[in-house]
Amino acid sequence: MEKDVNKEMDENVNGTEQETGPGTEQETGPKTELETETMTEAGGASHGKAARVFAVIGLLIMAVLVVWFLICLVTGSDQTLAVMVTLILYSVILYLFLWLRKVFSK
């Protein structure tokens, strides 16, 4: 299987025509709406409801931290530096989680 993938990649790079294998859109035709919905429900093209809830919660936390930071800046609070560090760390941790999920999903 790995040799087949490498062969196809070499053919694509060399400019030769790519073979039409089973499951390609040329052979099977365009997918119907029912097939697309089934693939979406199986998790092929979209995320689950729980993932969306976590995403909204993450965005709300980020928004609260940004507003808190702006309030600290305007009022000249002693907590300004602590809130800024928290905001930066939260952003980095969130990015790392998303990156790790992308890396290990393959």
Side-chain angles (χ1 to χ4, degrees), residues 77-97:
S77 175
D78 293 336
Q79 298 177 346
T80 305
L81 185 61
V83 175
M84 182 180 68
V85 169
T86 306
L87 184 61
I88 292 170
L89 285 177
Y90 178 76
S91 301
V92 169
I93 290 170
L94 191 64
Y95 179 78
L96 284 175
F97 277 124

Side-chain angles (χ1 to χ4, degrees), residues 31-47:
K31 296 193 182 308
T32 63
E33 187 175 326
L34 180 60
E35 291 173 338
T36 305
E37 287 179 16
T38 305
M39 189 174 110
T40 303
E41 289 174 1
S46 74
H47 303 290

Side-chain angles (χ1 to χ4, degrees), residues 49-106:
K49 196 171 191 177
R52 290 185 183 143
V53 170
F54 283 124
V56 169
I57 291 171
L59 287 174
L60 287 175
I61 292 171
M62 180 68 88
V64 167
L65 285 172
V66 168
V67 169
W68 187 14
F69 178 68
L70 291 175
I71 290 171
C72 286
L73 278 178
V74 170
T75 60
S77 175
D78 293 336
Q79 298 177 346
T80 305
L81 185 61
V83 175
M84 182 180 68
V85 169
T86 306
L87 184 61
I88 292 170
L89 285 177
Y90 178 76
S91 301
V92 169
I93 290 170
L94 191 64
Y95 179 78
L96 284 175
F97 277 124
L98 292 173
W99 179 74
L100 287 173
R101 180 176 174 224
K102 182 178 179 180
V103 167
F104 289 112
S105 68
K106 295 179 181 180

